[in-house]
Amino acid sequence: MNTRYYLSWFNDLFPEKLVKWLHEDITDRKSLVMISAQPSGFKGEQLNIDDVPERIWCNQANIIFDEYHLIDLRMQKEEAQRLIQNASVIFLCGGNPILQNNFLAEYEIADAIKNSKTVVIGASAGAINMAAKWLCSKNNGYKVETTTIYNGIGFDDFAYETHSKLDYGALVQGYLFPLSEKIDVYATEQESTMRVKDGKIDIIGNVYLISHSKIQKLVEKL
């Protein structure tokens, strides 16, 4: 099974420990394929792929690939599917998780990503959509009237939550408690990471496990 990284968001560089993990896990560096979470935001425009934050993070960590591809609505569905099948690393980008979730379904690429043997990384929205489920509610910052539980790609049997204002104070308000009665929820503050490898979860930063309406802060192991 592949190694998965669930990233929150990084305002600067990857932390040193995360860079070390990535260098250990990413041995094939032929092709980095990024999945947009603003798939229509650049439609008809020429986007400089060098400016995509997720690529910049990798460059700063000295993780350099031979080829870089960004999948959005400007790309044909068949080409997107081909690139995913041949990717060395798949990176689900940050942005709008609802748009990305719909895009994954429209382009029929969720199963191809899930079945990939490569390292798969998600940042913010991308990490949210990697999990089995996630909550969309006005209580966690979405401009919606109705609370909805979305199905993600489903790499791991838990729900995932992260957004810019997430901290322990937000969690104790309990908006994730109903979901946590059905499935474990992992919630990460900014500058945090979860790595799932060989059935084991390793963490960097502030990560919380919410299960049956109880919150536990996980301990980072050095």
Side-chain angles (χ1 to χ4, degrees):
M1 181 171 285
N2 58 12
T3 299
R4 283 92 62 200
Y5 283 86
Y6 295 79
L7 312 183
S8 56
W9 193 256
F10 298 92
N11 294 314
D12 197 1
L13 308 176
F14 280 155
E16 183 177 340
K17 184 175 180 180
L18 176 55
V19 172
K20 182 175 181 292
W21 284 355
L22 291 169
H23 275 277
E24 290 173 354
D25 293 332
I26 300 175
T27 55
D28 179 358
R29 301 185 185 180
K30 293 188 179 93
S31 171
L32 174 64
V33 175
M34 297 172 284
I35 315 293
S36 177
Q38 301 286 350
S40 63
F42 304 102
K43 193 172 183 180
E45 300 178 18
Q46 185 63 42
L47 174 66
N48 187 350
I49 199 170
D50 294 339
D51 295 332
V52 176
E54 289 80 359
R55 175 174 178 175
I56 293 172
W57 291 340
C58 290
N59 288 349
Q60 291 170 333
N62 196 31
I63 301 172
I64 308 300
F65 295 84
D66 296 335
E67 300 177 6
Y68 295 86
H69 305 278
L70 178 67
I71 295 176
D72 60 15
L73 283 169
R74 297 170 302 168
M75 182 178 290
Q76 294 296 317
K77 182 189 298 186
E78 294 75 16
E79 176 67 2
Q81 294 170 345
R82 184 189 69 80
L83 288 172
I84 288 169
Q85 290 173 354
N86 295 318
S88 303
V89 174
I90 298 170
F91 205 139
L92 288 95
C93 297
N96 186 313
I98 300 173
L99 293 179
Q100 188 180 62
N101 192 277
N102 292 337
F103 179 63
L104 292 170
E106 179 183 347
Y107 266 50
E108 300 176 319
I109 53 178
D111 285 345
I113 296 171
K114 184 176 181 179
N115 294 330
S116 172
K117 303 300 182 184
T118 67
V119 173
V120 179
I121 306 170
S124 192
I128 287 170
N129 275 313
M130 284 171 56
K133 297 183 181 298
W134 58 274
L135 182 73
C136 176
S137 166
K138 61 183 179 182
N139 292 322
N140 56 341
Y142 296 98
K143 295 179 180 179
V144 295
E145 295 298 323
T146 304
T147 296
T148 303
I149 297 174
Y150 280 83
N151 291 321
I153 293 173
F155 279 109
D156 300 285
D157 190 24
F158 55 69
Y160 184 81
E161 164 75 332
T162 185
H163 61 268
S164 60
K165 297 180 180 178
L166 180 65
D167 57 24
Y168 183 78
L171 296 178
V172 296
Q173 296 176 27
Y175 69 91
L176 290 168
F177 286 0
L179 180 57
S180 78
E181 294 292 333
K182 302 175 182 178
I183 190 171
D184 286 348
V185 182
Y186 286 90
T188 63
E189 294 184 12
Q190 287 214 64
E191 311 289 332
S192 301
T193 298
M194 290 172 50
R195 178 179 69 170
V196 183
K197 181 177 182 180
D198 299 328
K200 178 186 175 186
I201 296 177
D202 296 306
I203 65 167
I204 297 170
N206 294 326
V207 179
Y208 304 89
L209 170 61
I210 307 169
S211 182
H212 298 288
S213 301
K214 295 181 180 179
I215 306 173
Q216 173 190 359
K217 184 175 181 180
L218 303 180
V219 177
E220 178 180 339
K221 295 181 180 179
L222 300 178

